[in-house]
Amino acid sequence: MGWNPSQDILQAYYRFVVLFFNCMLTFGTAFCFDMPSVLQAIFQGNITCINATTYGNSSDCVEGLGMTPNQYNLLYAIYAWTNAIVVIAAGFLIDKLGNQVGLFLFSGLCLIGSSTFAGGAMLKGTKAMLPMMLIGRLIFGSGNGSLIIVRNRITAYWFKDKELAFAFGVTLTFVRLGSVLNFLLTKSIEDKVGLTWVLWGGAFLCALGFTSAIVTSILDIYGVRQLGQESNVKQSSKKLHFSDIRYFNSSYWLVVLTIMFFYNGVFPFMADASKFIHDKYGFKEESPVPSYLVGAVFDVSLVLCVLLGALIDIIGMRGLLALFCSVATIPVFGLLAFTHIYPLVSTLWLGFTYSIASATLWSSIPLVVTQETVGMAMGFATSAQMIGVGICNNVIGAILGNKNTPLPHDELMKRWKYVMIFLFANTLCCVVTAILLNLSDKRKGCILNQNRRERREGMALLMPSVATDDGSGNSTLAMNEAKPLLHSPDLGRPTQLK
């Protein structure tokens, strides 16, 4: 008797089981990525506190790894630069060798990188400590960004004509959950068990991600085989050429620039915000409150990402929303630089604009490039984002200084103000590119700003058959709306966008 897909694989529970383990791939890596931000005071603390003065249970000296501000920011810069280089090559590798190779290779690199990073911290006080920790971040960065590409590819396949926007919202929510738990728990755990053990705890979460990679691989292979689509999946994998970049129009490049400048403000801020809040608002060194306040950015994103993703699928307006969130972010760094308003106001507001940007900008890319070049387009966008973030991390490190000796409070506050002004300038550049993006989109027929009804009507004019929709989610229209993230060979080669 033949196997009936409707009895198993096509039932909702199977694809949502795949989704759960797929989400767990990057839960641990999200937790590990920003651990240095929460532990910045420890990373930049003194190697010894021999001459410290003790007041009750507190001390005027923080014992740590002895990094300078520039060395600390290098931990983020090397991650970003490695990611920027590797993600493009990773897309080609996944297309050629399949999901399973990508799952094992990149989750394995994340595990090795986080373990190397934790091992480096154990070499405190030696010349080998910083190089080993940087090597750990380099290996971790080479795996994490590429692992996200594999995760998105698997999600797109299993939800391509079903709950695609919702599924991608769920994957982003799991990432944010890992980030939020890091900001909530890491400092408290470090106070109890010490720096070394908390870093090895992060490596253990990456080991859980590697286990999830094994389970996801088995589920993906079994499901594709049982659906009888194994040969189709192999045929849909094509070797991309760098010459395909000639098909990328001005709207695509403006989306990339808008992404880069927006994230130039968010990620470098997240890397240093705990220390900034501690220095400016006078929290005690051992207080976990600064990390809680910074984590509010991801708290908001955790709540809003799924809802905004589903909403934007309906209303469209991606270009206008990109402009709105970039303009709305301007006051964040102005308040932090020039006022003493409680920082939770700024971090909550940044979380709101960041959620809109995440749901808007990345989903714009499949609309402004051709189907066969979506993967490479995502890779170039990620690469540009990471290059920008890496440069900004280095600039901030240079502003804050390359010495570990305490600065007078006035001098320290002046340098932090320059940092916020620098982030403010990146946000202004984001506004400019978002304006240009909307002008370009208007000349090309308002593709980004179309809502679902307008897009359906436009597609009906080009291809009347695609307007047929019986509400089952299996219509040609539903398939066409889902396919930008994974090529469907039965739909043919799409027309190039002019």
Side-chain angles (χ1 to χ4, degrees):
M1 180 179 294
W3 177 79
N4 185 358
S6 65
Q7 294 177 357
D8 189 1
I9 300 300
L10 294 184
Q11 289 182 1
Y13 81 85
Y14 192 92
R15 64 178 181 271
F16 277 100
V17 170
V18 175
L19 179 63
F20 171 76
F21 285 102
N22 202 29
C23 290
M24 290 302 295
L25 289 173
T26 51
F27 170 79
T29 59
F31 191 103
C32 283
F33 169 72
D34 260 329
M35 289 181 78
S37 176
V38 179
L39 302 170
Q40 184 175 2
I42 309 298
F43 279 40
Q44 295 182 209
N46 295 285
I47 295 178
T48 61
C49 288
I50 298 176
N51 299 318
T53 303
T54 302
Y55 306 94
N57 294 325
S58 62
S59 171
D60 64 351
C61 175
V62 177
E63 187 170 340
L65 300 182
M67 291 184 183
T68 66
N70 199 27
Q71 289 172 338
Y72 165 80
N73 278 279
L74 191 57
L75 295 176
Y76 280 91
I78 198 168
Y79 171 93
W81 291 337
T82 304
N83 215 328
I85 296 171
V86 171
V87 287
I88 297 176
F92 288 100
L93 181 66
I94 296 165
D95 282 339
K96 184 175 181 179
L97 301 180
N99 294 333
Q100 287 69 46
V101 173
L103 284 169
F104 288 112
L105 174 60
F106 300 127
S107 61
L109 287 174
C110 289
L111 175 57
I112 294 170
S114 58
S115 299
T116 304
F117 186 74
M122 298 175 68
L123 301 176
K124 171 184 172 180
T126 70
K127 292 182 178 180
M129 181 198 74
L130 182 62
M132 188 167 178
M133 295 184 76
L134 289 174
I135 290 172
R137 289 290 281 188
L138 185 150
I139 297 172
F140 182 77
S142 67
N144 194 28
S146 305
L147 189 60
I148 292 172
I149 295 175
V150 185
R151 183 200 67 192
N152 289 346
R153 195 170 188 263
I154 293 172
T155 302
Y157 177 82
W158 284 102
F159 291 84
K160 63 181 179 181
D161 55 354
K162 300 176 179 67
E163 309 91 347
L164 184 62
F166 175 78
F168 270 81
V170 171
T171 60
L172 186 56
T173 297
F174 265 73
V175 172
R176 292 296 155 251
L177 179 61
S179 301
V180 167
L181 291 178
N182 166 52
F183 281 101
L184 288 177
L185 301 177
T186 296
K187 186 62 175 70
S188 299
I189 296 173
E190 191 277 333
D191 290 338
K192 292 180 174 61
V193 303
L195 178 64
T196 299
W197 283 108
V198 78
L199 292 180
W200 278 110
F204 173 75
L205 290 178
C206 290
L208 291 180
F210 186 79
T211 304
S212 296
I214 297 173
V215 177
T216 303
S217 179
I218 294 171
L219 291 172
D220 188 48
I221 292 173
Y222 173 78
V224 170
R225 186 174 298 161
Q226 293 299 321
L227 283 171
Q229 295 184 6
E230 191 172 13
S231 60
N232 289 339
V233 170
K234 291 180 179 179
Q235 290 174 5
S236 68
S237 298
K238 67 183 292 289
K239 184 176 181 180
L240 298 177
H241 302 281
F242 280 101
S243 60
D244 290 340
I245 197 174
R246 67 184 182 274
Y247 297 126
F248 296 167
N249 59 27
S250 60
S251 292
Y252 166 75
W253 292 113
L254 288 168
V255 170
V256 170
L257 289 174
T258 304
I259 289 173
M260 184 186 74
F261 283 120
F262 188 88
Y263 282 83
N264 280 359
V266 177
F267 283 179
F269 170 75
M270 297 296 290
D272 286 276
S274 293
K275 189 70 168 60
F276 165 73
I277 291 174
H278 162 265
D279 290 342
K280 182 168 183 175
Y281 296 91
F283 288 97
K284 295 181 179 180
E285 292 286 359
E286 66 273 13
S287 174
V289 174
S291 63
Y292 295 163
L293 296 175
V294 178
V297 175
F298 291 149
D299 294 341
V300 175
S301 179
L302 178 66
V303 174
L304 292 183
C305 278
V306 174
L307 298 176
L308 287 173
L311 179 63
I312 290 171
D313 276 345
I314 297 172
I315 67 172
M317 298 176 61
R318 287 174 170 83
L320 294 175
L321 286 171
L323 177 59
F324 167 77
C325 66
S326 57
V327 171
T329 305
I330 291 175
V332 171
F333 301 114
L335 290 174
L336 292 170
F338 301 108
T339 76
H340 280 79
I341 292 176
Y342 196 63
L344 183 61
V345 175
S346 296
T347 54
L348 286 174
W349 186 245
L350 181 60
F352 173 67
T353 59
Y354 169 66
S355 299
I356 297 174
S358 298
T360 300
L361 293 172
W362 291 103
S363 66
S364 297
I365 291 177
L367 302 180
V368 294
V369 299
T370 58
Q371 172 56 44
E372 343 25 284
T373 59
V374 167
M376 188 167 66
M378 289 283 187
F380 273 110
T382 304
S383 179
Q385 173 201 346
M386 290 300 169
I387 290 172
V389 169
I391 292 173
C392 288
N393 282 130
N394 254 14
V395 171
I396 291 173
I399 293 173
L400 294 176
N402 197 29
K403 296 182 179 179
N404 205 32
T405 54
L407 294 171
H409 183 73
D410 289 345
E411 174 66 20
L412 184 61
M413 288 300 97
K414 182 173 72 173
R415 295 192 182 193
W416 278 121
K417 182 180 291 185
Y418 291 157
V419 168
M420 296 302 142
I421 291 173
F422 173 70
L423 298 177
F424 179 88
N426 274 277
T427 305
L428 290 179
C429 292
C430 183
V431 173
V432 173
T433 57
I435 291 172
L436 295 175
L437 172 62
N438 279 275
L439 294 175
S440 175
D441 183 58
K442 185 176 181 180
R443 290 197 300 269
K444 292 176 171 58
C446 296
I447 295 171
L448 296 178
N449 287 315
Q450 286 180 342
N451 59 37
R452 177 176 289 177
R453 178 184 58 81
E454 291 170 339
R455 181 171 177 172
R456 179 180 286 116
E457 291 174 352
M459 292 173 65
L461 291 174
L462 293 173
M463 219 172 4
S465 62
V466 302
T468 304
D469 190 346
D470 58 5
S472 65
N474 296 319
S475 66
T476 309
L477 176 61
M479 293 174 66
N480 192 68
E481 287 180 335
K483 74 185 178 74
L485 293 173
L486 186 71
H487 179 62
S488 301
D490 57 313
L491 295 176
R493 185 180 180 89
T495 304
Q496 299 287 351
L497 292 174
K498 301 296 184 183

